[in-house]
Amino acid sequence: MKCAVDIEARDVEEMYINIDPIQAGGRLTADAMKAAISFGDGYSVCDNCRNPPRLDYIQKPPIAQFHADLATWLNMDTARVVPGARRGFQAVASTYVEKGDPVIVTSLAHYTEFMAIEAAGGIPREIPKDAKNHITPDAAAEKIEAVIREFSRTPPLLFVDHVDYQFGNVHDVAGIAKVAHQYDIPVLVNGAYTVGIMPVDGKALGADFVVGSGHKSMAAPAPSGVLATTKEHAGRVFRTTQAKGDVTGRTFGLKEIEMMGCTLMGVTVVGMMASFPRVRERVQHWETEVAHSQAVVDALLSIEGTKVLSDYPRQHSLTRIDTRESFDTVAQRHKKRGFFLSSDLKKRGITGVIPGSTKVWKFNTFGLTDKQIRHVGESFIEVARENGLNIV
Amino acid sequence: MSKRAVDAVFQALFILSDLRFLLRETAPQHDFDEAQKKRAATSLEKVKRQIAIIEEELVQ
């Protein structure tokens, strides 16, 4: 079935249980899908843009209120919607980082944090993870000291991932922020895997900036996200343009430089807004999501040889699993080689495991129903049993 | 201008979106329980009403 010339309609979410690690939290709500139908046209939210002509002032649809609600929800002072978390990183790095500045990230940081620093001319320096794949406040302190010794100046910014994309581990952001603040280093918390799926309190975390991803964790169309900050930093990161045309004498009012004036002008922002009531509600049920994650991990661990590389018991719905001594032993002798696992899962209506992966791989159970969780767990065990693996 | 027809087209799409999400919630078997069957039946009735309005406004 095609939705347009040469474009197949996508029915993955209707036909399968999708456990893709990056897609789970970004699946739209029904309301967001309806909003997408209604606001698909380009500048569709600009029908009622008045003075000042800026996205976060628009009253109808209630985008201005949405901005205020986002900040309150994250317990921060001010928020802007941005085209993805990466553009939030970029706005902050562009504001705070000068050419040649060292910037602290972690050894579990997302690549877009590196890109944002590089674009601003900064030099990334990573806090090492410990043996349990955690970033600790002590390691942060040691790295800050080392960087100060290396560069003879204090880094202007520290990025830390609330939950990292590699293991889905929850890190001691509050402890790390406390250390960074002792050196007057502002802290950007990457909440791409937390904002919208679990409770996030920016002030409690000690965040100077909280960045979230709409399409990863807020049930919103891509590219979308949020950048929230404190009163202390808002004036700087959301500074307005002072530019003036030398020929025309034009000025551009209250347009914010890092936002390039306006950011999300149609289906992205309205999709975020439409999902927001449900998103705000769903983070209250995080314990259920963690229990679901745990149930699937336990099913996998009942397959002899399987190991979980993420924290155990699980504290997040994203998990990294090691099946080198279970499913990968099947792959060595199976006619489909490593593709047998995704193929056998697909026959059972499950997708999202990278085809060919039988060694170390990730999955995300966020948003599945109890029944779907049972089906996923039972399916892994069935596939293992049918392929001669022991269930313990 | 038929505001009634336009509204009916949107309403029908929105109701079908609810049905789409019922398919998502119940993937992969789409084995509806009684409550889900009732939701589906209600949605289908509503869609039929909207389609009748569209026919009345635009075709008949």
Side-chain angles (χ1 to χ4, degrees), chain A residues 13-17 28-30 33-34 37 348-349 369 371-372 375, chain B residues 10 13-15 17-18 20-21 23-31:
Chain A
E13 308 295 346
E14 289 75 19
M15 295 299 293
Y16 302 97
I17 296 171
L28 297 192
T29 59
M33 201 66 85
K34 294 171 194 175
I37 289 167
R348 289 166 173 79
T369 64
K371 192 174 176 183
Q372 289 172 323
H375 183 72
Chain B
F10 274 99
L13 290 168
F14 295 160
I15 296 161
S17 294
D18 287 328
R20 182 178 179 186
F21 276 75
L23 293 172
R24 288 181 168 212
E25 279 170 38
T26 55
Q29 291 103 338
H30 303 136
D31 184 14

PDB file of all heavy atoms in Angstrom, chain A residues 13-17 28-30 33-34 37 348-349 369 371-372 375, chain B residues 10 13-15 17-18 20-21 23-31:
ATOM      1  N   GLU A  13       3.741   0.159  13.346  1.00  0.00           N
ATOM      2  CA  GLU A  13       3.186   0.200  14.710  1.00  0.00           C
ATOM      3  C   GLU A  13       1.827  -0.498  14.784  1.00  0.00           C
ATOM      4  O   GLU A  13       1.411  -0.925  15.858  1.00  0.00           O
ATOM      5  CB  GLU A  13       3.051   1.652  15.195  1.00  0.00           C
ATOM      6  CG  GLU A  13       4.311   2.493  15.062  1.00  0.00           C
ATOM      7  CD  GLU A  13       5.467   2.031  15.938  1.00  0.00           C
ATOM      8  OE1 GLU A  13       5.240   1.218  16.859  1.00  0.00           O
ATOM      9  OE2 GLU A  13       6.612   2.469  15.687  1.00  0.00           O
ATOM     10  N   GLU A  14       1.134  -0.569  13.644  1.00  0.00           N
ATOM     11  CA  GLU A  14      -0.170  -1.234  13.617  1.00  0.00           C
ATOM     12  C   GLU A  14      -0.021  -2.747  13.485  1.00  0.00           C
ATOM     13  O   GLU A  14      -0.854  -3.504  13.990  1.00  0.00           O
ATOM     14  CB  GLU A  14      -1.021  -0.707  12.454  1.00  0.00           C
ATOM     15  CG  GLU A  14      -1.538   0.713  12.636  1.00  0.00           C
ATOM     16  CD  GLU A  14      -0.466   1.771  12.438  1.00  0.00           C
ATOM     17  OE1 GLU A  14       0.578   1.473  11.823  1.00  0.00           O
ATOM     18  OE2 GLU A  14      -0.658   2.908  12.907  1.00  0.00           O
ATOM     19  N   MET A  15       1.030  -3.175  12.803  1.00  0.00           N
ATOM     20  CA  MET A  15       1.191  -4.602  12.498  1.00  0.00           C
ATOM     21  C   MET A  15       2.066  -5.349  13.509  1.00  0.00           C
ATOM     22  O   MET A  15       1.963  -6.558  13.640  1.00  0.00           O
ATOM     23  CB  MET A  15       1.801  -4.772  11.103  1.00  0.00           C
ATOM     24  CG  MET A  15       0.918  -4.280   9.972  1.00  0.00           C
ATOM     25  SD  MET A  15      -0.664  -5.162   9.903  1.00  0.00           S
ATOM     26  CE  MET A  15      -0.115  -6.791   9.433  1.00  0.00           C
ATOM     27  N   TYR A  16       2.940  -4.613  14.182  1.00  0.00           N
ATOM     28  CA  TYR A  16       3.922  -5.269  15.058  1.00  0.00           C
ATOM     29  C   TYR A  16       4.009  -4.600  16.430  1.00  0.00           C
ATOM     30  O   TYR A  16       3.618  -3.450  16.592  1.00  0.00           O
ATOM     31  CB  TYR A  16       5.331  -5.190  14.421  1.00  0.00           C
ATOM     32  CG  TYR A  16       5.422  -5.816  13.063  1.00  0.00           C
ATOM     33  CD1 TYR A  16       5.325  -5.045  11.918  1.00  0.00           C
ATOM     34  CD2 TYR A  16       5.605  -7.194  12.937  1.00  0.00           C
ATOM     35  CE1 TYR A  16       5.390  -5.623  10.651  1.00  0.00           C
ATOM     36  CE2 TYR A  16       5.682  -7.776  11.680  1.00  0.00           C
ATOM     37  CZ  TYR A  16       5.578  -6.987  10.545  1.00  0.00           C
ATOM     38  OH  TYR A  16       5.648  -7.568   9.307  1.00  0.00           O
ATOM     39  N   ILE A  17       4.585  -5.328  17.356  1.00  0.00           N
ATOM     40  CA  ILE A  17       5.060  -4.725  18.602  1.00  0.00           C
ATOM     41  C   ILE A  17       6.477  -4.254  18.295  1.00  0.00           C
ATOM     42  O   ILE A  17       7.336  -5.065  17.938  1.00  0.00           O
ATOM     43  CB  ILE A  17       5.070  -5.761  19.745  1.00  0.00           C
ATOM     44  CG1 ILE A  17       3.643  -6.230  20.054  1.00  0.00           C
ATOM     45  CG2 ILE A  17       5.739  -5.174  20.977  1.00  0.00           C
ATOM     46  CD1 ILE A  17       3.596  -7.420  21.015  1.00  0.00           C
ATOM     47  N   LEU A  28       3.482   8.501  18.350  1.00  0.00           N
ATOM     48  CA  LEU A  28       2.480   9.539  18.606  1.00  0.00           C
ATOM     49  C   LEU A  28       1.323   9.003  19.447  1.00  0.00           C
ATOM     50  O   LEU A  28       1.050   7.806  19.451  1.00  0.00           O
ATOM     51  CB  LEU A  28       1.919  10.071  17.288  1.00  0.00           C
ATOM     52  CG  LEU A  28       2.878  10.776  16.335  1.00  0.00           C
ATOM     53  CD1 LEU A  28       2.086  11.495  15.244  1.00  0.00           C
ATOM     54  CD2 LEU A  28       3.788  11.763  17.050  1.00  0.00           C
ATOM     55  N   THR A  29       0.661   9.918  20.113  1.00  0.00           N
ATOM     56  CA  THR A  29      -0.637   9.604  20.703  1.00  0.00           C
ATOM     57  C   THR A  29      -1.688   9.769  19.606  1.00  0.00           C
ATOM     58  O   THR A  29      -1.414  10.385  18.553  1.00  0.00           O
ATOM     59  CB  THR A  29      -0.959  10.575  21.845  1.00  0.00           C
ATOM     60  OG1 THR A  29      -0.952  11.908  21.292  1.00  0.00           O
ATOM     61  CG2 THR A  29       0.070  10.484  22.970  1.00  0.00           C
ATOM     62  N   ALA A  30      -2.890   9.278  19.869  1.00  0.00           N
ATOM     63  CA  ALA A  30      -3.968   9.469  18.887  1.00  0.00           C
ATOM     64  C   ALA A  30      -4.228  10.960  18.676  1.00  0.00           C
ATOM     65  O   ALA A  30      -4.465  11.412  17.545  1.00  0.00           O
ATOM     66  CB  ALA A  30      -5.228   8.760  19.371  1.00  0.00           C
ATOM     67  N   MET A  33      -1.729  12.392  16.355  1.00  0.00           N
ATOM     68  CA  MET A  33      -1.992  11.978  14.968  1.00  0.00           C
ATOM     69  C   MET A  33      -3.100  12.846  14.365  1.00  0.00           C
ATOM     70  O   MET A  33      -3.026  13.245  13.194  1.00  0.00           O
ATOM     71  CB  MET A  33      -2.386  10.499  14.948  1.00  0.00           C
ATOM     72  CG  MET A  33      -2.208   9.832  13.610  1.00  0.00           C
ATOM     73  SD  MET A  33      -0.473   9.700  13.093  1.00  0.00           S
ATOM     74  CE  MET A  33       0.045   8.197  13.884  1.00  0.00           C
ATOM     75  N   LYS A  34      -4.108  13.148  15.173  1.00  0.00           N
ATOM     76  CA  LYS A  34      -5.197  14.018  14.697  1.00  0.00           C
ATOM     77  C   LYS A  34      -4.667  15.436  14.447  1.00  0.00           C
ATOM     78  O   LYS A  34      -5.041  16.088  13.473  1.00  0.00           O
ATOM     79  CB  LYS A  34      -6.331  14.050  15.722  1.00  0.00           C
ATOM     80  CG  LYS A  34      -7.036  12.710  15.888  1.00  0.00           C
ATOM     81  CD  LYS A  34      -8.001  12.759  17.060  1.00  0.00           C
ATOM     82  CE  LYS A  34      -8.443  11.364  17.449  1.00  0.00           C
ATOM     83  NZ  LYS A  34      -9.282  11.356  18.658  1.00  0.00           N
ATOM     84  N   ILE A  37      -2.909  15.514  11.198  1.00  0.00           N
ATOM     85  CA  ILE A  37      -3.841  15.609  10.072  1.00  0.00           C
ATOM     86  C   ILE A  37      -4.261  17.065   9.874  1.00  0.00           C
ATOM     87  O   ILE A  37      -4.342  17.581   8.762  1.00  0.00           O
ATOM     88  CB  ILE A  37      -5.089  14.729  10.345  1.00  0.00           C
ATOM     89  CG1 ILE A  37      -4.723  13.252  10.246  1.00  0.00           C
ATOM     90  CG2 ILE A  37      -6.232  15.069   9.366  1.00  0.00           C
ATOM     91  CD1 ILE A  37      -5.793  12.312  10.792  1.00  0.00           C
ATOM     92  N   ARG A 348       6.415 -13.657  14.883  1.00  0.00           N
ATOM     93  CA  ARG A 348       5.561 -13.547  16.076  1.00  0.00           C
ATOM     94  C   ARG A 348       5.029 -12.127  16.272  1.00  0.00           C
ATOM     95  O   ARG A 348       4.481 -11.800  17.328  1.00  0.00           O
ATOM     96  CB  ARG A 348       6.351 -14.003  17.307  1.00  0.00           C
ATOM     97  CG  ARG A 348       6.603 -15.496  17.327  1.00  0.00           C
ATOM     98  CD  ARG A 348       7.653 -15.887  18.337  1.00  0.00           C
ATOM     99  NE  ARG A 348       7.756 -17.333  18.462  1.00  0.00           N
ATOM    100  CZ  ARG A 348       8.401 -18.110  17.613  1.00  0.00           C
ATOM    101  NH1 ARG A 348       9.024 -17.586  16.557  1.00  0.00           N
ATOM    102  NH2 ARG A 348       8.430 -19.423  17.782  1.00  0.00           N
ATOM    103  N   GLY A 349       5.253 -11.294  15.270  1.00  0.00           N
ATOM    104  CA  GLY A 349       4.691  -9.938  15.331  1.00  0.00           C
ATOM    105  C   GLY A 349       5.511  -8.956  16.146  1.00  0.00           C
ATOM    106  O   GLY A 349       4.977  -7.993  16.682  1.00  0.00           O
ATOM    107  N   THR A 369       1.550  -2.542  26.248  1.00  0.00           N
ATOM    108  CA  THR A 369       0.529  -2.970  27.206  1.00  0.00           C
ATOM    109  C   THR A 369       1.024  -4.214  27.956  1.00  0.00           C
ATOM    110  O   THR A 369       1.992  -4.865  27.528  1.00  0.00           O
ATOM    111  CB  THR A 369      -0.783  -3.321  26.478  1.00  0.00           C
ATOM    112  OG1 THR A 369      -0.532  -4.442  25.632  1.00  0.00           O
ATOM    113  CG2 THR A 369      -1.310  -2.154  25.646  1.00  0.00           C
ATOM    114  N   LYS A 371      -0.319  -7.076  28.021  1.00  0.00           N
ATOM    115  CA  LYS A 371      -0.451  -8.226  27.119  1.00  0.00           C
ATOM    116  C   LYS A 371       0.711  -8.268  26.119  1.00  0.00           C
ATOM    117  O   LYS A 371       1.251  -9.349  25.828  1.00  0.00           O
ATOM    118  CB  LYS A 371      -1.794  -8.111  26.381  1.00  0.00           C
ATOM    119  CG  LYS A 371      -2.207  -9.346  25.629  1.00  0.00           C
ATOM    120  CD  LYS A 371      -3.601  -9.171  25.077  1.00  0.00           C
ATOM    121  CE  LYS A 371      -4.005 -10.370  24.226  1.00  0.00           C
ATOM    122  NZ  LYS A 371      -5.326 -10.183  23.617  1.00  0.00           N
ATOM    123  N   GLN A 372       1.069  -7.105  25.604  1.00  0.00           N
ATOM    124  CA  GLN A 372       2.182  -7.047  24.650  1.00  0.00           C
ATOM    125  C   GLN A 372       3.502  -7.421  25.332  1.00  0.00           C
ATOM    126  O   GLN A 372       4.341  -8.104  24.740  1.00  0.00           O
ATOM    127  CB  GLN A 372       2.258  -5.656  24.013  1.00  0.00           C
ATOM    128  CG  GLN A 372       1.107  -5.394  23.040  1.00  0.00           C
ATOM    129  CD  GLN A 372       1.068  -3.960  22.545  1.00  0.00           C
ATOM    130  OE1 GLN A 372       1.350  -3.019  23.294  1.00  0.00           O
ATOM    131  NE2 GLN A 372       0.704  -3.775  21.286  1.00  0.00           N
ATOM    132  N   HIS A 375       3.671 -11.090  25.605  1.00  0.00           N
ATOM    133  CA  HIS A 375       3.933 -11.679  24.291  1.00  0.00           C
ATOM    134  C   HIS A 375       5.421 -11.565  23.927  1.00  0.00           C
ATOM    135  O   HIS A 375       6.002 -12.525  23.400  1.00  0.00           O
ATOM    136  CB  HIS A 375       3.064 -10.981  23.234  1.00  0.00           C
ATOM    137  CG  HIS A 375       3.214 -11.565  21.865  1.00  0.00           C
ATOM    138  ND1 HIS A 375       2.704 -12.793  21.510  1.00  0.00           N
ATOM    139  CD2 HIS A 375       3.867 -11.101  20.764  1.00  0.00           C
ATOM    140  CE1 HIS A 375       3.010 -13.049  20.255  1.00  0.00           C
ATOM    141  NE2 HIS A 375       3.720 -12.037  19.777  1.00  0.00           N
TER     142      HIS A 375
ATOM    143  N   PHE B  10     -13.022  15.943   8.459  1.00  0.00           N
ATOM    144  CA  PHE B  10     -12.079  15.928   9.588  1.00  0.00           C
ATOM    145  C   PHE B  10     -12.531  14.946  10.665  1.00  0.00           C
ATOM    146  O   PHE B  10     -11.733  14.157  11.183  1.00  0.00           O
ATOM    147  CB  PHE B  10     -11.932  17.336  10.191  1.00  0.00           C
ATOM    148  CG  PHE B  10     -10.892  18.176   9.499  1.00  0.00           C
ATOM    149  CD1 PHE B  10     -11.240  19.115   8.549  1.00  0.00           C
ATOM    150  CD2 PHE B  10      -9.539  18.016   9.792  1.00  0.00           C
ATOM    151  CE1 PHE B  10     -10.278  19.879   7.905  1.00  0.00           C
ATOM    152  CE2 PHE B  10      -8.573  18.772   9.159  1.00  0.00           C
ATOM    153  CZ  PHE B  10      -8.935  19.709   8.202  1.00  0.00           C
ATOM    154  N   LEU B  13     -11.813  11.436   9.704  1.00  0.00           N
ATOM    155  CA  LEU B  13     -10.377  11.124   9.826  1.00  0.00           C
ATOM    156  C   LEU B  13      -9.965  10.949  11.287  1.00  0.00           C
ATOM    157  O   LEU B  13      -9.176  10.059  11.624  1.00  0.00           O
ATOM    158  CB  LEU B  13      -9.542  12.243   9.183  1.00  0.00           C
ATOM    159  CG  LEU B  13      -9.614  12.332   7.650  1.00  0.00           C
ATOM    160  CD1 LEU B  13      -8.994  13.647   7.159  1.00  0.00           C
ATOM    161  CD2 LEU B  13      -8.888  11.158   7.012  1.00  0.00           C
ATOM    162  N   PHE B  14     -10.514  11.793  12.149  1.00  0.00           N
ATOM    163  CA  PHE B  14     -10.159  11.688  13.572  1.00  0.00           C
ATOM    164  C   PHE B  14     -10.674  10.369  14.167  1.00  0.00           C
ATOM    165  O   PHE B  14      -9.977   9.709  14.943  1.00  0.00           O
ATOM    166  CB  PHE B  14     -10.736  12.869  14.364  1.00  0.00           C
ATOM    167  CG  PHE B  14     -10.168  14.214  13.982  1.00  0.00           C
ATOM    168  CD1 PHE B  14     -10.850  15.380  14.277  1.00  0.00           C
ATOM    169  CD2 PHE B  14      -8.947  14.310  13.326  1.00  0.00           C
ATOM    170  CE1 PHE B  14     -10.336  16.618  13.918  1.00  0.00           C
ATOM    171  CE2 PHE B  14      -8.420  15.543  12.965  1.00  0.00           C
ATOM    172  CZ  PHE B  14      -9.117  16.703  13.266  1.00  0.00           C
ATOM    173  N   ILE B  15     -11.884  10.014  13.808  1.00  0.00           N
ATOM    174  CA  ILE B  15     -12.447   8.759  14.341  1.00  0.00           C
ATOM    175  C   ILE B  15     -11.643   7.566  13.814  1.00  0.00           C
ATOM    176  O   ILE B  15     -11.346   6.623  14.557  1.00  0.00           O
ATOM    177  CB  ILE B  15     -13.940   8.634  13.959  1.00  0.00           C
ATOM    178  CG1 ILE B  15     -14.742   9.765  14.615  1.00  0.00           C
ATOM    179  CG2 ILE B  15     -14.499   7.279  14.378  1.00  0.00           C
ATOM    180  CD1 ILE B  15     -16.101  10.019  13.968  1.00  0.00           C
ATOM    181  N   SER B  17      -8.593   7.669  13.114  1.00  0.00           N
ATOM    182  CA  SER B  17      -7.322   7.685  13.866  1.00  0.00           C
ATOM    183  C   SER B  17      -7.479   6.931  15.179  1.00  0.00           C
ATOM    184  O   SER B  17      -6.561   6.217  15.609  1.00  0.00           O
ATOM    185  CB  SER B  17      -6.877   9.123  14.145  1.00  0.00           C
ATOM    186  OG  SER B  17      -6.565   9.773  12.940  1.00  0.00           O
ATOM    187  N   ASP B  18      -8.626   7.089  15.825  1.00  0.00           N
ATOM    188  CA  ASP B  18      -8.865   6.326  17.060  1.00  0.00           C
ATOM    189  C   ASP B  18      -8.847   4.820  16.777  1.00  0.00           C
ATOM    190  O   ASP B  18      -8.289   4.041  17.550  1.00  0.00           O
ATOM    191  CB  ASP B  18     -10.208   6.720  17.692  1.00  0.00           C
ATOM    192  CG  ASP B  18     -10.140   8.097  18.339  1.00  0.00           C
ATOM    193  OD1 ASP B  18      -9.061   8.476  18.836  1.00  0.00           O
ATOM    194  OD2 ASP B  18     -11.175   8.800  18.343  1.00  0.00           O
ATOM    195  N   ARG B  20      -7.226   3.435  14.361  1.00  0.00           N
ATOM    196  CA  ARG B  20      -5.823   3.110  14.082  1.00  0.00           C
ATOM    197  C   ARG B  20      -5.082   2.818  15.391  1.00  0.00           C
ATOM    198  O   ARG B  20      -4.267   1.889  15.459  1.00  0.00           O
ATOM    199  CB  ARG B  20      -5.187   4.293  13.348  1.00  0.00           C
ATOM    200  CG  ARG B  20      -3.755   4.077  12.964  1.00  0.00           C
ATOM    201  CD  ARG B  20      -3.197   5.263  12.199  1.00  0.00           C
ATOM    202  NE  ARG B  20      -1.811   5.034  11.877  1.00  0.00           N
ATOM    203  CZ  ARG B  20      -1.013   5.927  11.309  1.00  0.00           C
ATOM    204  NH1 ARG B  20      -1.481   7.104  10.962  1.00  0.00           N
ATOM    205  NH2 ARG B  20       0.248   5.650  11.056  1.00  0.00           N
ATOM    206  N   PHE B  21      -5.370   3.611  16.410  1.00  0.00           N
ATOM    207  CA  PHE B  21      -4.671   3.412  17.680  1.00  0.00           C
ATOM    208  C   PHE B  21      -5.149   2.170  18.414  1.00  0.00           C
ATOM    209  O   PHE B  21      -4.391   1.579  19.179  1.00  0.00           O
ATOM    210  CB  PHE B  21      -4.723   4.688  18.529  1.00  0.00           C
ATOM    211  CG  PHE B  21      -3.614   5.614  18.122  1.00  0.00           C
ATOM    212  CD1 PHE B  21      -3.701   6.335  16.935  1.00  0.00           C
ATOM    213  CD2 PHE B  21      -2.447   5.674  18.850  1.00  0.00           C
ATOM    214  CE1 PHE B  21      -2.649   7.127  16.504  1.00  0.00           C
ATOM    215  CE2 PHE B  21      -1.387   6.473  18.433  1.00  0.00           C
ATOM    216  CZ  PHE B  21      -1.492   7.205  17.259  1.00  0.00           C
ATOM    217  N   LEU B  23      -5.755  -0.515  16.782  1.00  0.00           N
ATOM    218  CA  LEU B  23      -4.915  -1.526  16.117  1.00  0.00           C
ATOM    219  C   LEU B  23      -3.516  -1.558  16.721  1.00  0.00           C
ATOM    220  O   LEU B  23      -2.916  -2.626  16.888  1.00  0.00           O
ATOM    221  CB  LEU B  23      -4.836  -1.245  14.614  1.00  0.00           C
ATOM    222  CG  LEU B  23      -6.134  -1.417  13.825  1.00  0.00           C
ATOM    223  CD1 LEU B  23      -5.965  -0.933  12.395  1.00  0.00           C
ATOM    224  CD2 LEU B  23      -6.574  -2.887  13.830  1.00  0.00           C
ATOM    225  N   ARG B  24      -2.996  -0.368  17.057  1.00  0.00           N
ATOM    226  CA  ARG B  24      -1.659  -0.309  17.661  1.00  0.00           C
ATOM    227  C   ARG B  24      -1.646  -0.969  19.042  1.00  0.00           C
ATOM    228  O   ARG B  24      -0.738  -1.736  19.347  1.00  0.00           O
ATOM    229  CB  ARG B  24      -1.204   1.148  17.785  1.00  0.00           C
ATOM    230  CG  ARG B  24      -0.845   1.771  16.462  1.00  0.00           C
ATOM    231  CD  ARG B  24      -0.390   3.201  16.618  1.00  0.00           C
ATOM    232  NE  ARG B  24       0.205   3.672  15.373  1.00  0.00           N
ATOM    233  CZ  ARG B  24       1.189   4.554  15.287  1.00  0.00           C
ATOM    234  NH1 ARG B  24       1.673   5.110  16.366  1.00  0.00           N
ATOM    235  NH2 ARG B  24       1.666   4.899  14.113  1.00  0.00           N
ATOM    236  N   GLU B  25      -2.635  -0.647  19.842  1.00  0.00           N
ATOM    237  CA  GLU B  25      -2.701  -1.184  21.212  1.00  0.00           C
ATOM    238  C   GLU B  25      -2.811  -2.703  21.232  1.00  0.00           C
ATOM    239  O   GLU B  25      -2.403  -3.341  22.200  1.00  0.00           O
ATOM    240  CB  GLU B  25      -3.957  -0.658  21.924  1.00  0.00           C
ATOM    241  CG  GLU B  25      -3.857   0.737  22.495  1.00  0.00           C
ATOM    242  CD  GLU B  25      -5.235   1.214  22.935  1.00  0.00           C
ATOM    243  OE1 GLU B  25      -6.027   0.411  23.460  1.00  0.00           O
ATOM    244  OE2 GLU B  25      -5.499   2.402  22.725  1.00  0.00           O
ATOM    245  N   THR B  26      -3.386  -3.247  20.176  1.00  0.00           N
ATOM    246  CA  THR B  26      -3.666  -4.685  20.180  1.00  0.00           C
ATOM    247  C   THR B  26      -2.756  -5.466  19.232  1.00  0.00           C
ATOM    248  O   THR B  26      -2.976  -6.662  19.027  1.00  0.00           O
ATOM    249  CB  THR B  26      -5.135  -4.935  19.793  1.00  0.00           C
ATOM    250  OG1 THR B  26      -5.391  -4.304  18.543  1.00  0.00           O
ATOM    251  CG2 THR B  26      -6.077  -4.385  20.855  1.00  0.00           C
ATOM    252  N   ALA B  27      -1.758  -4.784  18.659  1.00  0.00           N
ATOM    253  CA  ALA B  27      -0.817  -5.484  17.768  1.00  0.00           C
ATOM    254  C   ALA B  27      -0.062  -6.545  18.571  1.00  0.00           C
ATOM    255  O   ALA B  27       0.196  -6.341  19.754  1.00  0.00           O
ATOM    256  CB  ALA B  27       0.167  -4.476  17.170  1.00  0.00           C
ATOM    257  N   PRO B  28       0.323  -7.648  17.976  1.00  0.00           N
ATOM    258  CA  PRO B  28       0.132  -7.982  16.565  1.00  0.00           C
ATOM    259  C   PRO B  28      -1.141  -8.789  16.280  1.00  0.00           C
ATOM    260  O   PRO B  28      -1.538  -8.883  15.122  1.00  0.00           O
ATOM    261  CB  PRO B  28       1.362  -8.838  16.260  1.00  0.00           C
ATOM    262  CG  PRO B  28       1.646  -9.535  17.553  1.00  0.00           C
ATOM    263  CD  PRO B  28       1.235  -8.587  18.646  1.00  0.00           C
ATOM    264  N   GLN B  29      -1.766  -9.371  17.292  1.00  0.00           N
ATOM    265  CA  GLN B  29      -2.894 -10.280  16.989  1.00  0.00           C
ATOM    266  C   GLN B  29      -4.191  -9.546  16.663  1.00  0.00           C
ATOM    267  O   GLN B  29      -5.070 -10.100  16.010  1.00  0.00           O
ATOM    268  CB  GLN B  29      -3.138 -11.240  18.165  1.00  0.00           C
ATOM    269  CG  GLN B  29      -2.034 -12.269  18.367  1.00  0.00           C
ATOM    270  CD  GLN B  29      -1.152 -11.877  19.546  1.00  0.00           C
ATOM    271  OE1 GLN B  29      -1.097 -10.710  19.933  1.00  0.00           O
ATOM    272  NE2 GLN B  29      -0.444 -12.845  20.101  1.00  0.00           N
ATOM    273  N   HIS B  30      -4.336  -8.304  17.185  1.00  0.00           N
ATOM    274  CA  HIS B  30      -5.593  -7.558  17.022  1.00  0.00           C
ATOM    275  C   HIS B  30      -6.778  -8.386  17.541  1.00  0.00           C
ATOM    276  O   HIS B  30      -7.843  -8.413  16.930  1.00  0.00           O
ATOM    277  CB  HIS B  30      -5.808  -7.121  15.567  1.00  0.00           C
ATOM    278  CG  HIS B  30      -4.689  -6.285  15.040  1.00  0.00           C
ATOM    279  ND1 HIS B  30      -4.141  -6.450  13.808  1.00  0.00           N
ATOM    280  CD2 HIS B  30      -3.974  -5.287  15.605  1.00  0.00           C
ATOM    281  CE1 HIS B  30      -3.147  -5.579  13.626  1.00  0.00           C
ATOM    282  NE2 HIS B  30      -3.036  -4.863  14.698  1.00  0.00           N
ATOM    283  N   ASP B  31      -6.525  -9.011  18.645  1.00  0.00           N
ATOM    284  CA  ASP B  31      -7.534  -9.867  19.274  1.00  0.00           C
ATOM    285  C   ASP B  31      -8.291  -9.000  20.283  1.00  0.00           C
ATOM    286  O   ASP B  31      -7.884  -8.870  21.437  1.00  0.00           O
ATOM    287  CB  ASP B  31      -6.782 -11.024  19.953  1.00  0.00           C
ATOM    288  CG  ASP B  31      -7.724 -12.032  20.554  1.00  0.00           C
ATOM    289  OD1 ASP B  31      -8.916 -11.979  20.223  1.00  0.00           O
ATOM    290  OD2 ASP B  31      -7.262 -12.853  21.365  1.00  0.00           O
TER     291      ASP B  31
END
